[in-house]
Amino acid sequence: MKGRKLLMIPGPIEFEPEVLQAMGQATTSHIAPKFIEVFGNSLELMREVWQSPSGQPFIVAGTGTLAMDMAAANLIEHGDNALVISSGYFGHRFKDILDRYGANTTILEAPIGEVVSLDAIENELRSKPYKVLTLTHVDTSTGILIDPKPIADLAKKYHVLSILDGVCSVAGEELKQDEWGIDVVLTASQKAIGVPPGLALLMASQKAMGVFKNRKTPVGNYYADWNNWLPIMQAYEERRPSYFGTPAVNLIVALETSLKIICTEGMDKRIQRHQNLAKAFRAGIAALKLRILPKTTHLAAHTLSAVYYPKGIDGAALRAKITEKNVILAGGLLAGIKSSYFRIGHMGSVSSNDLMAVLHALECALLALGHPIASGKSLQAFQNELLNTVPLNPVTN
């Protein structure tokens, strides 16, 4: 036995051994020449993953919420109008953050399992001058996937800055920041980027940086202020030592390792791998007579799945049975329905073997609790679906 359980929650995820080995190296000075090279290279590799050759990357010790906070703190001034397009828990969090900096925030929200229509977004943008709009690419609470491109097009049409919460999407869902004209894309290290928790990662367009530099009032958050961090990022990219706050040295060494793995796989292949595995996993879920939270598969993320418990099955008992099979899944998060569903992460270095282990554990747990399904059907559906797709990357299969 391997002596530990398979972690299949929507972050932290299972990490590549090379990433964990890199993180376990002896801690060096943050101004050592070797670390300066690692930090500078990480910033450059971020542009490749975000597909933003013109963007300004930031790597700061913190969480995804800090990355959200940085975007709001640096781009919002008191009285600015902000529009939040919400598809779950984290849309409401963005509203709370924007409100804290004095924004007049409007939130647009669709019924559970759906997305806000483009017509509704455009009607709201027409109603008054907005400075920023935020959208969640994949909401970790619901597994809802939004297509950012048409919303970014609307933002450009109405001269509004677009901020994409990509915490559960960057390096797992299709993203072309520069081509789509998205002004800020943020994420955290512990999701599809594939590094243990502790880094807030953000890419800002030159347009966003221009708005920041022309703000009339000081940034209301000392730690998040780009005036403090921008010289640091520029110095490391120029391979010069600099200091504002001590960086998370070991995490950044691990970040460079993971970004190299991601770029070696190639963004197109990586996104296709996530899509193939997610489609096959949903086929396995359907074979278990389970229903996903998104109303259609078109709205279902490729980095995680949110699945309703079957009628008559106690959710806590189901997850306990799954844990007995050495697989850890996550419960629900969205207020009002959190006890009605559970979540499975499938991002980063996830493989078909990982997902087959999840389906096996889930099927065994359901059978033990009396759910009427035929044994083996979910694995058969999963494998049949994979056989009908493009071959997966052999390194991660």
Side-chain angles (χ1 to χ4, degrees), residues 279-290 355-364 366-367 373-385:
K279 187 177 180 182
F281 187 68
R282 287 195 295 268
I285 290 294
L288 293 173
K289 301 180 181 179
L290 299 179
L355 292 178
M356 288 185 352
V358 173
L359 288 170
H360 169 72
L362 179 55
E363 183 177 293
C364 289
L366 288 168
L367 286 167
I373 52 173
S375 178
K377 289 291 185 181
S378 64
L379 292 172
Q380 183 180 33
F382 177 85
Q383 292 181 95
N384 286 344
E385 186 62 47

Side-chain angles (χ1 to χ4, degrees), residues 114 121 155 163 196 202 236 277 334 343 358:
E114 301 179 25
I121 296 169
I163 302 174
L202 184 147
Y236 275 113
L277 286 172
L334 193 63
R343 295 170 297 144
V358 173

Side-chain angles (χ1 to χ4, degrees), residues 146-169:
I146 282 179
D147 183 358
K149 185 179 183 302
I151 301 175
D153 288 341
L154 286 175
K156 286 183 286 185
K157 179 179 177 180
Y158 290 93
H159 310 290
V160 179
L161 290 173
S162 53
I163 302 174
L164 182 69
D165 173 356
V167 168
C168 208
S169 72

Side-chain angles (χ1 to χ4, degrees), residues 23-25 33 43 47 49 66 84 100 119 129 139-140 156 175 194 201 223 237 270 281 283 285 296 379 381 388 397:
M23 190 166 173
Q25 294 177 16
L43 292 164
R47 291 198 181 94
V49 174
L66 173 65
V84 172
R100 184 66 60 91
D119 286 343
D139 196 295
T140 315
K156 286 183 286 185
L175 171 67
L201 307 171
Y223 184 71
E237 196 160 2
R270 186 176 181 85
F281 187 68
I285 290 294
T296 69
L379 292 172
N388 293 326
N397 188 14

Side-chain angles (χ1 to χ4, degrees), residues 75-86:
L75 296 176
I76 288 293
E77 296 185 74
H78 189 83
D80 286 339
N81 293 325
L83 176 62
V84 172
I85 301 159
S86 178

Side-chain angles (χ1 to χ4, degrees), residues 18-76:
E18 298 94 327
V19 172
L20 296 177
Q21 289 166 8
M23 190 166 173
Q25 294 177 16
T27 303
T28 186
S29 165
H30 60 286
I31 57 171
K34 184 177 180 181
F35 177 71
I36 291 171
E37 176 62 32
V38 166
F39 202 141
N41 194 40
S42 297
L43 292 164
E44 291 164 358
L45 289 168
M46 279 178 64
R47 291 198 181 94
E48 186 173 343
V49 174
W50 270 248
Q51 298 200 27
S52 179
S54 69
Q56 174 57 56
F58 291 88
I59 301 172
V60 180
T63 66
T65 299
L66 173 65
M68 297 165 75
D69 198 32
M70 289 186 78
N74 287 280
L75 296 176
I76 288 293

